Amino acid sequence: MSLTQSLFVIALLIGASAFFSLAEMSLAASRRLRLRQMTDEGDARAEAVLRTQEQPGNYFSVVQIGQNGVAILGGIVGEGAFSPMLSRLLQGVLPLAAAETAGFLLSFALVTSLFIVFSDLFPKRLAMAEPERLALRLHGSMRLCMRVFKPVVWFYSRVTDGLFRLLGLSSQRDDRVTHDDILALAEAGAQAGVLAPSEQQVIANVFELDTRTVGSAMTTRDRIAWFDRHDSDAVVRARIAAEPFSTYPVCDGSIDRVLGYVDAKDLFQRVMNNQPIRLDDPALLHKAVVVPDRLTLAEVLAQFRQAHEDFALIVNEYSLVVGVVTLNDVMSTVMGDLVAPADEELIVQREEGSWLIDGITPMADVERALGLERLPQPEDYETLAGFLMVMLRRVPRRTDRVLWGGYSFEVMDVDSYRIDQVMVTRQSRSTEDLSAAARAL
């Protein structure tokens, strides 16, 4: 075989190997969500690719048969094509035996490099860039190859299936989409500019509804505006003017003895019609939904949907009211900065490396803002105030400080044992080292 013929055969073999590499990588990298979308749009080829992804055994058997066969032929042809020529060129500077050895090694390196670059690296990168388009174009040719090599494919597939059964492994592809998969896609979309950072955060917040407890979104007991059942019309009007809310619990002498709640819209209607407000009026008083304080926000939403209400009282294991939550509170947790007014922000970044954070801020939000990981005893608290109590092992006082994760948490303001403001500053490396040494001592 002449050099020209050998080069032509090698080019054909490289092309065949590149075809199998493209077919393999494009099928493996094709996104099922994208293929399903194309199937819904009426592309029959996408449906065929989806079926192959579900049972890819025969497909990949053909790929491996083709790639290995081509590689063996390429080595044989390449060694015969280049080795004699390179040996003759080297005989002028090397002994005969050394020239033949060097010519063989150079021929092997040259053929191997051609196959690596043009039949492996380049086609696989191309397939990763446009997997669905290439998978659709190559699938028909691969089906033809599967029919041609059917006996050989059947033999190798049976042997491979037997190994899977022997080892107790499943050969089925797991196509379940998890929360982490969706969050990763949202993060990739934000990095690519398809999603705004606030939109990515909304998606993350939706999945946190199953892990955040209702305490992270509730209005705490000390901030609840409530009426006593015996309050007069004048008292009710004054309370509404002083503390305007959409809903007010109605209690019998104590906030822990709740009778129901009244809606501010009903009260305003009475005021506008110059009608007296009587809190014992059955037309005004609504039955309150009562939920335990350990429920997640997703479970609270289910309770709202079941009861057709948007307001709930939260009680602890001792049946004491610890807070209230509304549907708007839950939705504000999901929407985050998209709906929160600037004056209600719980985390305010002051200058580089410094934050002013409200004590009731959920630790999930603090972790996200500061980039913290692996907090100590995370099951024992939900808010920044709870974190400080656990770390200090007592009720924090003003100027108390906790060092953790490269940050200093300093209590700035305390109101009746309630932590109002915490100053968080990023520590320098030298400060971290000194803190670590102090803890060691």
Side-chain angles (χ1 to χ4, degrees), residues 51-75:
R51 288 198 300 267
T52 302
Q53 278 191 335
E54 294 171 358
Q55 297 288 340
N58 292 343
Y59 188 97
F60 288 129
S61 294
V62 170
V63 168
Q64 294 306 312
I65 292 170
Q67 286 183 326
N68 284 281
V70 167
I72 294 171
L73 290 174

PDB file of all heavy atoms in Angstrom, residues 51-75:
ATOM      1  N   ARG A  51     -36.049   7.331  23.749  1.00  0.00           N
ATOM      2  CA  ARG A  51     -36.189   5.879  23.956  1.00  0.00           C
ATOM      3  C   ARG A  51     -34.820   5.215  24.030  1.00  0.00           C
ATOM      4  O   ARG A  51     -34.617   4.295  24.831  1.00  0.00           O
ATOM      5  CB  ARG A  51     -37.023   5.276  22.826  1.00  0.00           C
ATOM      6  CG  ARG A  51     -38.504   5.625  22.890  1.00  0.00           C
ATOM      7  CD  ARG A  51     -39.325   4.658  22.035  1.00  0.00           C
ATOM      8  NE  ARG A  51     -38.907   4.723  20.638  1.00  0.00           N
ATOM      9  CZ  ARG A  51     -39.464   5.496  19.719  1.00  0.00           C
ATOM     10  NH1 ARG A  51     -40.461   6.316  20.065  1.00  0.00           N
ATOM     11  NH2 ARG A  51     -39.039   5.497  18.462  1.00  0.00           N
ATOM     12  N   THR A  52     -33.883   5.679  23.217  1.00  0.00           N
ATOM     13  CA  THR A  52     -32.534   5.113  23.259  1.00  0.00           C
ATOM     14  C   THR A  52     -31.844   5.432  24.578  1.00  0.00           C
ATOM     15  O   THR A  52     -31.114   4.600  25.127  1.00  0.00           O
ATOM     16  CB  THR A  52     -31.697   5.644  22.084  1.00  0.00           C
ATOM     17  OG1 THR A  52     -32.342   5.317  20.855  1.00  0.00           O
ATOM     18  CG2 THR A  52     -30.308   5.034  22.089  1.00  0.00           C
ATOM     19  N   GLN A  53     -32.064   6.629  25.091  1.00  0.00           N
ATOM     20  CA  GLN A  53     -31.478   6.979  26.392  1.00  0.00           C
ATOM     21  C   GLN A  53     -32.000   6.080  27.508  1.00  0.00           C
ATOM     22  O   GLN A  53     -31.283   5.785  28.458  1.00  0.00           O
ATOM     23  CB  GLN A  53     -31.771   8.447  26.729  1.00  0.00           C
ATOM     24  CG  GLN A  53     -30.834   9.431  26.070  1.00  0.00           C
ATOM     25  CD  GLN A  53     -30.981  10.825  26.641  1.00  0.00           C
ATOM     26  OE1 GLN A  53     -32.037  11.193  27.183  1.00  0.00           O
ATOM     27  NE2 GLN A  53     -29.933  11.621  26.536  1.00  0.00           N
ATOM     28  N   GLU A  54     -33.250   5.661  27.398  1.00  0.00           N
ATOM     29  CA  GLU A  54     -33.813   4.779  28.416  1.00  0.00           C
ATOM     30  C   GLU A  54     -33.199   3.384  28.368  1.00  0.00           C
ATOM     31  O   GLU A  54     -33.044   2.727  29.396  1.00  0.00           O
ATOM     32  CB  GLU A  54     -35.332   4.706  28.247  1.00  0.00           C
ATOM     33  CG  GLU A  54     -36.048   6.020  28.527  1.00  0.00           C
ATOM     34  CD  GLU A  54     -37.522   5.974  28.141  1.00  0.00           C
ATOM     35  OE1 GLU A  54     -37.951   4.914  27.626  1.00  0.00           O
ATOM     36  OE2 GLU A  54     -38.215   6.983  28.355  1.00  0.00           O
ATOM     37  N   GLN A  55     -32.845   2.909  27.162  1.00  0.00           N
ATOM     38  CA  GLN A  55     -32.210   1.599  26.989  1.00  0.00           C
ATOM     39  C   GLN A  55     -30.979   1.770  26.097  1.00  0.00           C
ATOM     40  O   GLN A  55     -30.999   1.426  24.915  1.00  0.00           O
ATOM     41  CB  GLN A  55     -33.207   0.606  26.354  1.00  0.00           C
ATOM     42  CG  GLN A  55     -34.429   0.307  27.200  1.00  0.00           C
ATOM     43  CD  GLN A  55     -34.089  -0.552  28.416  1.00  0.00           C
ATOM     44  OE1 GLN A  55     -33.055  -1.219  28.438  1.00  0.00           O
ATOM     45  NE2 GLN A  55     -34.957  -0.547  29.409  1.00  0.00           N
ATOM     46  N   PRO A  56     -29.881   2.288  26.636  1.00  0.00           N
ATOM     47  CA  PRO A  56     -28.733   2.645  25.783  1.00  0.00           C
ATOM     48  C   PRO A  56     -27.736   1.507  25.560  1.00  0.00           C
ATOM     49  O   PRO A  56     -26.693   1.733  24.954  1.00  0.00           O
ATOM     50  CB  PRO A  56     -28.074   3.781  26.575  1.00  0.00           C
ATOM     51  CG  PRO A  56     -28.332   3.414  28.001  1.00  0.00           C
ATOM     52  CD  PRO A  56     -29.680   2.721  28.032  1.00  0.00           C
ATOM     53  N   GLY A  57     -28.026   0.313  26.064  1.00  0.00           N
ATOM     54  CA  GLY A  57     -27.042  -0.762  26.013  1.00  0.00           C
ATOM     55  C   GLY A  57     -26.552  -1.087  24.616  1.00  0.00           C
ATOM     56  O   GLY A  57     -25.343  -1.096  24.342  1.00  0.00           O
ATOM     57  N   ASN A  58     -27.476  -1.362  23.679  1.00  0.00           N
ATOM     58  CA  ASN A  58     -27.085  -1.717  22.318  1.00  0.00           C
ATOM     59  C   ASN A  58     -26.380  -0.561  21.606  1.00  0.00           C
ATOM     60  O   ASN A  58     -25.446  -0.759  20.829  1.00  0.00           O
ATOM     61  CB  ASN A  58     -28.311  -2.143  21.511  1.00  0.00           C
ATOM     62  CG  ASN A  58     -28.895  -3.452  22.006  1.00  0.00           C
ATOM     63  OD1 ASN A  58     -28.230  -4.198  22.736  1.00  0.00           O
ATOM     64  ND2 ASN A  58     -30.125  -3.743  21.634  1.00  0.00           N
ATOM     65  N   TYR A  59     -26.834   0.635  21.866  1.00  0.00           N
ATOM     66  CA  TYR A  59     -26.240   1.826  21.256  1.00  0.00           C
ATOM     67  C   TYR A  59     -24.763   1.946  21.624  1.00  0.00           C
ATOM     68  O   TYR A  59     -23.891   2.092  20.759  1.00  0.00           O
ATOM     69  CB  TYR A  59     -27.019   3.051  21.727  1.00  0.00           C
ATOM     70  CG  TYR A  59     -26.671   4.349  21.042  1.00  0.00           C
ATOM     71  CD1 TYR A  59     -27.433   4.822  19.984  1.00  0.00           C
ATOM     72  CD2 TYR A  59     -25.609   5.121  21.479  1.00  0.00           C
ATOM     73  CE1 TYR A  59     -27.132   6.029  19.366  1.00  0.00           C
ATOM     74  CE2 TYR A  59     -25.304   6.327  20.874  1.00  0.00           C
ATOM     75  CZ  TYR A  59     -26.071   6.778  19.820  1.00  0.00           C
ATOM     76  OH  TYR A  59     -25.770   7.979  19.210  1.00  0.00           O
ATOM     77  N   PHE A  60     -24.470   1.854  22.910  1.00  0.00           N
ATOM     78  CA  PHE A  60     -23.083   1.997  23.346  1.00  0.00           C
ATOM     79  C   PHE A  60     -22.238   0.780  22.982  1.00  0.00           C
ATOM     80  O   PHE A  60     -21.016   0.896  22.834  1.00  0.00           O
ATOM     81  CB  PHE A  60     -23.021   2.271  24.846  1.00  0.00           C
ATOM     82  CG  PHE A  60     -23.472   3.651  25.227  1.00  0.00           C
ATOM     83  CD1 PHE A  60     -24.411   3.847  26.224  1.00  0.00           C
ATOM     84  CD2 PHE A  60     -22.969   4.762  24.578  1.00  0.00           C
ATOM     85  CE1 PHE A  60     -24.834   5.114  26.574  1.00  0.00           C
ATOM     86  CE2 PHE A  60     -23.376   6.041  24.909  1.00  0.00           C
ATOM     87  CZ  PHE A  60     -24.312   6.220  25.909  1.00  0.00           C
ATOM     88  N   SER A  61     -22.872  -0.374  22.841  1.00  0.00           N
ATOM     89  CA  SER A  61     -22.124  -1.546  22.375  1.00  0.00           C
ATOM     90  C   SER A  61     -21.593  -1.313  20.961  1.00  0.00           C
ATOM     91  O   SER A  61     -20.435  -1.620  20.649  1.00  0.00           O
ATOM     92  CB  SER A  61     -23.021  -2.787  22.401  1.00  0.00           C
ATOM     93  OG  SER A  61     -23.387  -3.127  23.724  1.00  0.00           O
ATOM     94  N   VAL A  62     -22.445  -0.759  20.081  1.00  0.00           N
ATOM     95  CA  VAL A  62     -22.008  -0.438  18.721  1.00  0.00           C
ATOM     96  C   VAL A  62     -20.882   0.584  18.744  1.00  0.00           C
ATOM     97  O   VAL A  62     -19.896   0.473  18.000  1.00  0.00           O
ATOM     98  CB  VAL A  62     -23.201   0.077  17.886  1.00  0.00           C
ATOM     99  CG1 VAL A  62     -22.719   0.640  16.561  1.00  0.00           C
ATOM    100  CG2 VAL A  62     -24.197  -1.031  17.644  1.00  0.00           C
ATOM    101  N   VAL A  63     -21.009   1.592  19.611  1.00  0.00           N
ATOM    102  CA  VAL A  63     -19.981   2.616  19.709  1.00  0.00           C
ATOM    103  C   VAL A  63     -18.638   1.994  20.079  1.00  0.00           C
ATOM    104  O   VAL A  63     -17.598   2.275  19.454  1.00  0.00           O
ATOM    105  CB  VAL A  63     -20.380   3.696  20.739  1.00  0.00           C
ATOM    106  CG1 VAL A  63     -19.188   4.597  21.055  1.00  0.00           C
ATOM    107  CG2 VAL A  63     -21.534   4.531  20.213  1.00  0.00           C
ATOM    108  N   GLN A  64     -18.638   1.133  21.088  1.00  0.00           N
ATOM    109  CA  GLN A  64     -17.380   0.542  21.530  1.00  0.00           C
ATOM    110  C   GLN A  64     -16.806  -0.421  20.501  1.00  0.00           C
ATOM    111  O   GLN A  64     -15.582  -0.466  20.291  1.00  0.00           O
ATOM    112  CB  GLN A  64     -17.594  -0.177  22.865  1.00  0.00           C
ATOM    113  CG  GLN A  64     -17.934   0.746  24.018  1.00  0.00           C
ATOM    114  CD  GLN A  64     -16.897   1.854  24.184  1.00  0.00           C
ATOM    115  OE1 GLN A  64     -15.696   1.598  24.189  1.00  0.00           O
ATOM    116  NE2 GLN A  64     -17.374   3.089  24.299  1.00  0.00           N
ATOM    117  N   ILE A  65     -17.667  -1.187  19.852  1.00  0.00           N
ATOM    118  CA  ILE A  65     -17.186  -2.084  18.787  1.00  0.00           C
ATOM    119  C   ILE A  65     -16.532  -1.276  17.676  1.00  0.00           C
ATOM    120  O   ILE A  65     -15.431  -1.589  17.197  1.00  0.00           O
ATOM    121  CB  ILE A  65     -18.343  -2.934  18.233  1.00  0.00           C
ATOM    122  CG1 ILE A  65     -18.815  -3.936  19.294  1.00  0.00           C
ATOM    123  CG2 ILE A  65     -17.925  -3.662  16.960  1.00  0.00           C
ATOM    124  CD1 ILE A  65     -20.104  -4.655  18.921  1.00  0.00           C
ATOM    125  N   GLY A  66     -17.217  -0.198  17.265  1.00  0.00           N
ATOM    126  CA  GLY A  66     -16.677   0.634  16.194  1.00  0.00           C
ATOM    127  C   GLY A  66     -15.382   1.316  16.586  1.00  0.00           C
ATOM    128  O   GLY A  66     -14.400   1.294  15.830  1.00  0.00           O
ATOM    129  N   GLN A  67     -15.341   1.914  17.775  1.00  0.00           N
ATOM    130  CA  GLN A  67     -14.141   2.634  18.188  1.00  0.00           C
ATOM    131  C   GLN A  67     -12.944   1.707  18.356  1.00  0.00           C
ATOM    132  O   GLN A  67     -11.829   2.026  17.931  1.00  0.00           O
ATOM    133  CB  GLN A  67     -14.409   3.401  19.483  1.00  0.00           C
ATOM    134  CG  GLN A  67     -15.266   4.652  19.297  1.00  0.00           C
ATOM    135  CD  GLN A  67     -15.444   5.424  20.577  1.00  0.00           C
ATOM    136  OE1 GLN A  67     -15.516   4.840  21.659  1.00  0.00           O
ATOM    137  NE2 GLN A  67     -15.522   6.737  20.471  1.00  0.00           N
ATOM    138  N   ASN A  68     -13.140   0.551  18.982  1.00  0.00           N
ATOM    139  CA  ASN A  68     -12.019  -0.363  19.188  1.00  0.00           C
ATOM    140  C   ASN A  68     -11.544  -0.979  17.878  1.00  0.00           C
ATOM    141  O   ASN A  68     -10.338  -1.132  17.650  1.00  0.00           O
ATOM    142  CB  ASN A  68     -12.414  -1.459  20.180  1.00  0.00           C
ATOM    143  CG  ASN A  68     -12.444  -0.959  21.622  1.00  0.00           C
ATOM    144  OD1 ASN A  68     -11.418  -0.836  22.260  1.00  0.00           O
ATOM    145  ND2 ASN A  68     -13.636  -0.656  22.114  1.00  0.00           N
ATOM    146  N   GLY A  69     -12.505  -1.338  17.006  1.00  0.00           N
ATOM    147  CA  GLY A  69     -12.121  -1.882  15.709  1.00  0.00           C
ATOM    148  C   GLY A  69     -11.331  -0.885  14.884  1.00  0.00           C
ATOM    149  O   GLY A  69     -10.301  -1.219  14.269  1.00  0.00           O
ATOM    150  N   VAL A  70     -11.793   0.362  14.865  1.00  0.00           N
ATOM    151  CA  VAL A  70     -11.109   1.406  14.106  1.00  0.00           C
ATOM    152  C   VAL A  70      -9.727   1.665  14.691  1.00  0.00           C
ATOM    153  O   VAL A  70      -8.742   1.872  13.956  1.00  0.00           O
ATOM    154  CB  VAL A  70     -11.953   2.690  14.104  1.00  0.00           C
ATOM    155  CG1 VAL A  70     -11.132   3.875  13.603  1.00  0.00           C
ATOM    156  CG2 VAL A  70     -13.185   2.512  13.238  1.00  0.00           C
ATOM    157  N   ALA A  71      -9.605   1.680  16.025  1.00  0.00           N
ATOM    158  CA  ALA A  71      -8.310   1.934  16.658  1.00  0.00           C
ATOM    159  C   ALA A  71      -7.294   0.861  16.290  1.00  0.00           C
ATOM    160  O   ALA A  71      -6.119   1.164  16.014  1.00  0.00           O
ATOM    161  CB  ALA A  71      -8.478   2.011  18.165  1.00  0.00           C
ATOM    162  N   ILE A  72      -7.739  -0.403  16.273  1.00  0.00           N
ATOM    163  CA  ILE A  72      -6.820  -1.493  15.904  1.00  0.00           C
ATOM    164  C   ILE A  72      -6.376  -1.358  14.450  1.00  0.00           C
ATOM    165  O   ILE A  72      -5.181  -1.455  14.139  1.00  0.00           O
ATOM    166  CB  ILE A  72      -7.496  -2.851  16.141  1.00  0.00           C
ATOM    167  CG1 ILE A  72      -7.728  -3.059  17.650  1.00  0.00           C
ATOM    168  CG2 ILE A  72      -6.651  -3.990  15.574  1.00  0.00           C
ATOM    169  CD1 ILE A  72      -8.579  -4.263  17.978  1.00  0.00           C
ATOM    170  N   LEU A  73      -7.317  -1.110  13.553  1.00  0.00           N
ATOM    171  CA  LEU A  73      -6.970  -0.940  12.145  1.00  0.00           C
ATOM    172  C   LEU A  73      -6.071   0.271  11.933  1.00  0.00           C
ATOM    173  O   LEU A  73      -5.130   0.236  11.127  1.00  0.00           O
ATOM    174  CB  LEU A  73      -8.240  -0.792  11.305  1.00  0.00           C
ATOM    175  CG  LEU A  73      -9.108  -2.045  11.162  1.00  0.00           C
ATOM    176  CD1 LEU A  73     -10.397  -1.704  10.420  1.00  0.00           C
ATOM    177  CD2 LEU A  73      -8.335  -3.131  10.416  1.00  0.00           C
ATOM    178  N   GLY A  74      -6.347   1.341  12.669  1.00  0.00           N
ATOM    179  CA  GLY A  74      -5.521   2.533  12.549  1.00  0.00           C
ATOM    180  C   GLY A  74      -4.086   2.271  12.954  1.00  0.00           C
ATOM    181  O   GLY A  74      -3.144   2.773  12.321  1.00  0.00           O
ATOM    182  N   GLY A  75      -3.893   1.487  14.007  1.00  0.00           N
ATOM    183  CA  GLY A  75      -2.538   1.148  14.425  1.00  0.00           C
ATOM    184  C   GLY A  75      -1.811   0.323  13.394  1.00  0.00           C
ATOM    185  O   GLY A  75      -0.619   0.549  13.115  1.00  0.00           O
TER     186      GLY A  75
END
